[in-house]
Amino acid sequence: MKKIGMSLIVVSQLCLGLVTSTTAIAAAKPISGVSCNDGFFVRTPDKHIHWINEETEDHVEVYDQSDDIYAMAQCGTGVVTVFEKIIDGNQQYNAIYSPNCMDIGSEKGLSSQIYQGKEKINRIDSKDGKLEIRFVNKTYLRGESCDSVHAD
């Protein structure tokens, strides 16, 4: 009897999960593992990104273009966002640092570009306000602060 009861619970949770997943696919999806300035980011189905304040639930659109996010990492009080795009048939990467979580895809407001090029990034590490970006060819961008990286 216990086995049947547990099986029914598991099946009902699976069904509920399927219904919830279908609904979530049509809505905005959180970008997991990244919080910024007492808020978090969500991506809408049209690839726009909004920052949502956790306390007030206010939201601000911080990216309205269609390039794919390749990576995103917290850095100091802000965020580093790397976008992947195709230019003249070649993959290109563009990294933007936003100290206030706004304008994450361009050099508007306080945001600044810290990298643009063809080298693929395979790690972003931020410790004690310092930033290190490692590329697949084992070269680095490093800085004493999140907005002061430089190539080795």
Side-chain angles (χ1 to χ4, degrees):
M1 188 65 170
K2 270 188 171 181
K3 192 173 188 177
I4 292 173
M6 288 300 287
S7 296
L8 288 175
I9 290 171
V10 170
V11 169
S12 67
Q13 287 176 341
L14 282 172
C15 290
L16 179 61
L18 288 173
V19 170
T20 304
S21 295
T22 305
T23 305
I25 288 171
K29 298 178 187 176
I31 298 173
S32 60
V34 180
S35 62
C36 186
N37 235 3
D38 298 324
F40 61 95
F41 297 97
V42 296
R43 181 182 358 214
T44 59
D46 61 1
K47 296 185 181 180
H48 293 200
I49 298 171
H50 296 257
W51 175 82
I52 299 176
N53 184 304
E54 289 185 44
E55 275 186 34
T56 64
E57 296 183 12
D58 290 340
H59 66 86
V60 176
E61 185 175 75
V62 295
Y63 183 72
D64 64 358
Q65 299 168 34
S66 61
D67 294 328
D68 290 326
I69 288 185
Y70 177 73
M72 184 180 244
Q74 292 170 236
C75 192
T77 61
V79 65
V80 172
T81 310
V82 180
F83 294 91
E84 179 179 43
K85 54 180 139 185
I86 304 293
I87 298 177
D88 297 328
N90 298 312
Q91 279 186 313
Q92 190 103 35
Y93 299 91
N94 188 29
I96 302 287
Y97 171 63
S98 172
N100 63 352
C101 313
M102 304 293 132
D103 302 314
I104 65 168
S106 63
E107 292 187 281
K108 288 192 238 173
L110 300 175
S111 298
S112 60
Q113 180 175 295
I114 57 176
Y115 172 73
Q116 182 173 0
K118 295 177 184 178
E119 289 299 324
K120 188 181 258 188
I121 295 169
N122 68 353
R123 189 182 68 173
I124 301 172
D125 192 20
S126 172
K127 290 182 187 165
D128 302 322
K130 295 181 181 182
L131 177 64
E132 180 177 89
I133 296 174
R134 184 176 73 191
F135 298 95
V136 294
N137 68 1
K138 298 186 181 168
T139 60
Y140 291 84
L141 291 176
R142 291 186 172 117
E144 290 299 313
S145 66
C146 299
D147 59 353
S148 69
V149 297
H150 60 276
D152 284 352

